[in-house]
């Protein structure tokens, strides 16, 4: 081969390689541009911040209720990487404590933290999703909601208001309340002015009590001023924090009306539906985690506060007499039956709840109740 042909061949090969490199570079540029184009929406989405307002019925930083609502807001914000930020407003900061449900319903707030019996004026059936007298324990209640159809019934009850309900925990068995005088008989209840919420209030009213409902932050002042003669709040941890031992001596435990009362996190349905699926799941799972955290928080707080509360000067622990309990049970069951007649959905909820409660009671006598009695006897 001549030098000229060799030189020509080299040039042709170089030209071919150059064309290949040019094509590869062009293709790489297209791939890079395409990847950037595809990635751009995801980057923008990740940088977006959705801000929700959570209105609660509780005072800011209040033990158990307020603190756990605040932790829930922080949890959602953190779990979402800041994509869904939840700002919290204590009772009265955005709306009054008893207007949280309406705020969520009309979109003034995207979330709420309270308890269903505050809105029982909208539908008496709401009572079944919070504190039913002689009702379910915390574990039993969660079982009914998560696996027994209770959650579906709850959602149907709130559906007309554009609100989604989520179970947000419990205080466990509450206290029956603080009284200025002993309750030794049904006659002692006549004319007593008592702050008591929910169906417990309805049962007490049937027995001659003048029931008064007021926001948590007003209880102490009402007791101190004599506006009410008795008041129930939550239990030792919260009651000692509110200073209720300073305004009454007789402390009745346990509560007949709130064995496993429920807290709720409510969400505006339109706001929830607008979220991408991952954020929907974060909200749902964060509330479930908060429910367990809240119950643990209350349990520990009550355990640690019980004996110090009893040590306060003048505090005397009492239990309601058996005849009072029987009368309260009768009045409570009458009230539940009355509610069941208000609508077909209320009847469906009533039937489901009562049937499950009967089964749960049978099992508890052989399991949890028996276990606690066994432990108490062994430790005597």
């Amino acid at each position: 081969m001549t030098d000229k042909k060799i030189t020509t061949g080299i040039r042709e090969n170089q030209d071919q390689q150059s064309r290949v490199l040019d094509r590869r570079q062009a293709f790489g540029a297209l791939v890079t541009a395409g990847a950037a184009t595809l990635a751009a929406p995801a980057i923008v989405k990740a940088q977006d911040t959705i801000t929700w307002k959570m209105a609660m019925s509780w005072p800011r930083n209040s033990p158990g209720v307020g603190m756990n609502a605040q932790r829930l807001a922080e949890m959602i914000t953190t779990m979402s990487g800041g994509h869904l930020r939840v700002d919290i407003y204590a009772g009265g900061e955005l709306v009054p404590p008893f207007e949280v449900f309406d705020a969520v319903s009309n979109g003034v707030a995207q979330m709420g933290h309270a308890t269903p019996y505050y809105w029982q004026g909208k539908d008496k059936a709401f009572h079944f999703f919070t504190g039913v007298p002689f009702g379910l324990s915390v574990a039993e209640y969660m079982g009914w909601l998560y696996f027994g159809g209770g959650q579906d019934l709850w959602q149907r009850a709130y559906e007309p208001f554009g609100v989604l309900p989520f179970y947000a925990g419990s205080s466990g068995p509450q206290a029956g309340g603080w009284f200025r005088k002993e309750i030794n008989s049904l006659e002692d209840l006549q004319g007593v002015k008592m702050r008591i919420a929910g169906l417990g209030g309805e049962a007490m009213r049937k027995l001659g009590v003048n029931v008064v409902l007021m926001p948590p932050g007003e209880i102490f002042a009402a007791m101190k001023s004599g506006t009410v003669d008795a008041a129930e709040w939550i239990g030792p941890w919260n009651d000692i924090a509110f200073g209720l031992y300073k305004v009454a001596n007789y402390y009745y435990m346990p509560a007949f009306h709130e064995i496993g009362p429920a807290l709720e996190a409510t969400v505006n349905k339109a706001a929830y539906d607008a979220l991408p699926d991952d954020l929907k799941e974060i909200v749902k799972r964060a509330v479930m985690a908060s429910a367990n955290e809240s119950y643990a928080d209350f349990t520990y707080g009550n355990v640690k506060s019980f004996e110090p509360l009893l040590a306060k000067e003048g505090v005397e622990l009492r239990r309601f007499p058996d005849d009072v309990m029987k009368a309260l049970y009768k009045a409570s069951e009458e009230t539940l039956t009355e509610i069941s007649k208000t609508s077909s959905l209320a009847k469906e909820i009533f039937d489901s709840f009562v049937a499950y409660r009967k089964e749960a009671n049978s099992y508890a006598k052989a399991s949890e109740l028996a276990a606690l009695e066994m432990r108490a006897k062994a430790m005597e």
Side-chain angles (χ1 to χ4, degrees):
M1 183 177 292
T2 65
D3 290 342
K4 184 177 181 180
K5 288 183 178 179
I6 291 173
T7 302
T8 302
I10 290 173
R11 287 175 179 172
E12 290 175 350
N13 186 50
Q14 288 175 338
D15 290 342
Q16 185 178 6
Q17 289 179 347
S18 179
R19 288 193 296 270
V20 170
L21 287 173
D22 289 343
R23 286 197 299 271
R24 287 177 177 173
Q25 289 170 350
F27 180 72
L30 286 171
V31 170
T32 302
T37 302
L38 290 172
I43 292 171
V44 171
K45 181 178 179 182
Q47 291 173 344
D48 284 346
T49 298
I50 301 169
T51 302
W52 276 11
K53 296 177 182 178
M54 179 196 284
M56 61 180 184
S57 294
W58 327 115
R60 188 174 292 273
N61 298 322
S62 54
V65 283
M67 287 302 301
N68 282 293
Q70 290 162 221
R71 290 192 188 108
L72 172 58
E74 294 167 0
M75 192 185 306
I76 293 172
T77 301
T78 302
M79 290 172 68
S80 69
H83 188 191
L84 178 57
R85 191 184 79 195
V86 180
D87 296 335
I88 197 156
Y89 296 82
E93 291 182 356
L94 184 65
V95 295
F98 291 159
E99 294 181 18
V100 170
F101 186 90
D102 287 338
V104 175
S105 178
N106 60 35
V108 170
Q110 290 74 34
M111 286 194 73
H113 198 285
T115 185
Y117 56 54
Y118 286 169
W119 345 117
Q120 55 86 25
K122 298 182 182 299
D123 190 333
K124 294 288 186 182
F126 287 6
H127 280 296
F128 285 100
F129 305 105
T130 178
V132 174
F134 305 96
L136 301 173
S137 70
V138 176
E140 292 165 349
Y141 193 77
M142 288 192 293
W144 179 61
L145 285 176
Y146 293 155
F147 301 103
Q151 180 65 36
D152 178 65
L153 292 168
W154 196 2
Q155 289 177 194
R156 288 168 57 191
Y158 278 23
E159 186 175 10
F161 305 94
V163 175
L164 282 174
F166 295 91
Y167 176 74
S170 176
S171 62
Q174 293 197 3
W178 293 87
F179 291 76
R180 286 202 174 93
K181 68 174 185 178
E182 283 192 84
I183 305 300
N184 295 314
S185 65
L186 288 170
E187 287 71 28
D188 291 330
L189 289 174
Q190 302 302 307
V192 170
K193 293 177 292 184
M194 183 178 185
R195 186 274 180 190
I196 179 171
L199 293 180
E202 293 301 313
M204 281 289 193
R205 187 177 286 112
K206 288 179 182 289
L207 300 187
V209 172
N210 293 324
V211 174
V212 180
L213 184 59
M214 63 185 64
E218 298 177 14
I219 297 174
F220 178 84
M223 284 285 287
K224 186 175 182 179
S225 67
T227 302
V228 294
D229 308 309
E232 60 83 32
W233 174 213
I234 297 180
W237 186 32
N238 299 88
D239 291 359
I240 199 171
F242 273 47
L244 298 182
Y245 61 91
K246 299 176 183 178
V247 289
N249 291 334
Y250 298 104
Y251 194 36
Y252 281 79
M253 291 185 71
F256 72 96
H257 61 298
E258 292 181 315
I259 296 175
L263 297 170
E264 68 174 3
T266 49
V267 177
N268 178 276
K269 189 175 186 304
Y272 184 81
D273 289 344
L275 294 176
D277 289 343
D278 60 337
L279 293 185
K280 288 178 182 176
E281 192 68 12
I282 284 173
V283 171
K284 176 181 176 182
R285 297 300 171 180
V287 179
M288 292 180 75
S290 177
N292 284 318
E293 184 179 53
S294 296
Y295 182 39
D297 198 17
F298 271 113
T299 300
Y300 183 81
N302 284 326
V303 167
K304 300 297 287 185
S305 301
F306 180 61
E307 291 187 2
L309 179 57
L310 295 187
K312 297 292 184 182
E313 184 177 357
V315 174
E316 297 186 36
L317 187 65
R318 295 286 187 272
R319 294 186 68 172
F320 291 116
D322 288 345
D323 63 332
V324 171
M325 282 290 95
K326 290 182 182 298
L328 286 170
Y329 176 75
K330 183 175 182 293
S332 298
E333 293 302 290
E334 289 174 355
T335 302
L336 292 180
T337 301
E338 291 166 4
I339 292 174
S340 73
K341 297 176 180 179
T342 58
S343 70
S344 58
L345 179 58
K347 180 64 164 59
E348 190 176 349
I349 296 169
F350 171 84
D351 289 343
S352 175
F353 185 94
V354 170
Y356 178 73
R357 182 182 61 171
K358 183 177 180 181
E359 294 175 319
N361 188 57
S362 177
Y363 178 63
K365 287 190 291 185
S367 59
E368 188 169 10
L369 177 61
L372 292 175
E373 288 177 340
M374 177 181 66
R375 183 181 72 180
K377 187 173 183 180
M379 293 179 67
E380 287 178 353

